[in-house]
Amino acid sequence: MKIVVIGGGAAGMMFSTQYKKANPEDEVILFEKSSYVAWAGCPTPYFIADELKKSDVLHGTPEDFIKRGINVKIHHEVTKIDFENKTLTVKGNEINGIISYDKLVIAVGAKSFVPNIAGYSQNLENVFTLSHAEHAFKIKDFLNENKPKLKNAVVVGAGFIGLEMAESFRKNGLNVTLIE
Ligand SMILES: Cc1cc2nc3c(=O)[nH]c(=O)nc-3n(C[C@H](O)[C@H](O)[C@H](O)COP(=O)(O)OP(=O)(O)OC[C@H]3O[C@@H](n4cnc5c(N)ncnc54)[C@H](O)[C@@H]3O)c2cc1C
């Protein structure tokens, strides 16, 4: 059996590890579009607050999972699924084209929802969402690079992630306004 998993977050990595343990003869290929696998969102605000290390939020490298027999391909994005013919279109440097599967697991996670706020763009250098490892490292790098001149942080949304980030920005020495 050839099992293909799309997405190297908690769901994709957990599934692949458990499946491979139970079915060592089967081939497991996992495609992750970013550079990171096994990112843990939960402790991330405390990593941004400098209370945890990078290794506390990245629970393994692609190589760690390759050693467990999972064929992890980072920088590979699945752009199309043909369910009838059981094939995927993959865009990556190693695999770039159509590959087949016997069973498919879609573990692509979720995106942050940003309502229709005038002027918002994903490319503003000091405006962030937080739902992926890449966002976490972008926020952390921005804080590290600009710390002396930063004064105020605004957090939009007072759910648990908003509250944890408000706490994290306070620990970074910023004045925080939380808007709900
Ligand atoms: C700040 C924060 C704090 C949190 N705290 C808690 C908590 O305390 N308790 C709790 O239970 N949960 C918490 N969560 C939620 C938890 O982190 C998520 O539920 C979990 O990470 C979801 O894992 P996932 O594998 O489903 O998705 P994701 O982690 O989103 O992983 C999906 C992966 O799929 C990849 N991908 C997407 N599309 C493609 C494609 N077409 N091709 C290839 N790859 C693709 C993405 O790059 C991503 O790496 C928190 C989340 C955040 C952001």
Side-chain angles (χ1 to χ4, degrees):
M1 281 280 232
K2 184 175 175 184
I3 315 297
V4 173
V5 181
I6 314 174
M13 299 323 292
M14 194 68 86
F15 167 80
S16 307
T17 304
Q18 295 305 324
Y19 185 90
K20 189 67 188 173
K21 257 193 217 165
N23 306 275
E25 304 303 318
D26 286 0
E27 183 187 1
V28 180
I29 306 180
L30 184 143
F31 294 113
E32 165 56 48
K33 67 179 178 180
S34 75
S35 316
Y36 305 105
V37 294
W39 173 63
C42 314
T44 289
Y46 304 97
F47 159 72
I48 294 172
D50 270 340
E51 291 178 348
L52 296 173
K53 301 183 299 294
K54 199 169 184 176
S55 57
D56 294 318
V57 294
L58 285 176
H59 291 174
T61 63
E63 292 70 31
D64 293 333
F65 291 92
I66 290 168
K67 278 186 205 146
R68 293 176 205 166
I70 300 154
N71 194 357
V72 176
K73 304 277 178 212
I74 55 167
H75 302 134
H76 280 72
E77 182 173 10
V78 174
T79 56
K80 189 177 168 188
I81 304 171
D82 179 343
F83 292 100
E84 209 169 309
N85 294 306
K86 294 193 175 175
T87 63
L88 301 173
T89 305
V90 182
K91 218 173 124 193
N93 48 10
E94 213 182 300
I95 298 178
N96 199 21
I98 295 176
I99 73 150
S100 63
Y101 63 84
D102 294 308
K103 288 194 177 175
L104 177 66
V105 174
I106 303 173
V108 293
K111 278 187 182 163
S112 307
F113 167 72
V114 180
N116 188 15
I117 297 172
Y120 172 77
S121 143
Q122 281 189 355
N123 303 319
L124 299 168
E125 62 150 14
N126 59 343
V127 178
F128 309 92
T129 55
L130 178 55
S131 58
H132 195 278
E134 283 179 341
H135 306 158
F137 300 131
K138 221 166 128 185
I139 296 172
K140 184 85 174 153
D141 289 346
F142 183 83
L143 287 170
N144 288 342
E145 283 158 24
N146 299 287
K147 221 168 206 173
K149 54 184 183 199
L150 296 178
K151 286 197 179 73
N152 302 311
V154 175
V155 177
V156 182
F160 76 88
I161 294 175
L163 289 169
E164 286 180 352
M165 282 311 300
E167 190 187 352
S168 175
F169 287 136
R170 281 296 298 137
K171 287 181 178 158
N172 274 284
L174 301 177
N175 302 313
V176 179
T177 305
L178 180 66
I179 302 178
E180 168 59 47

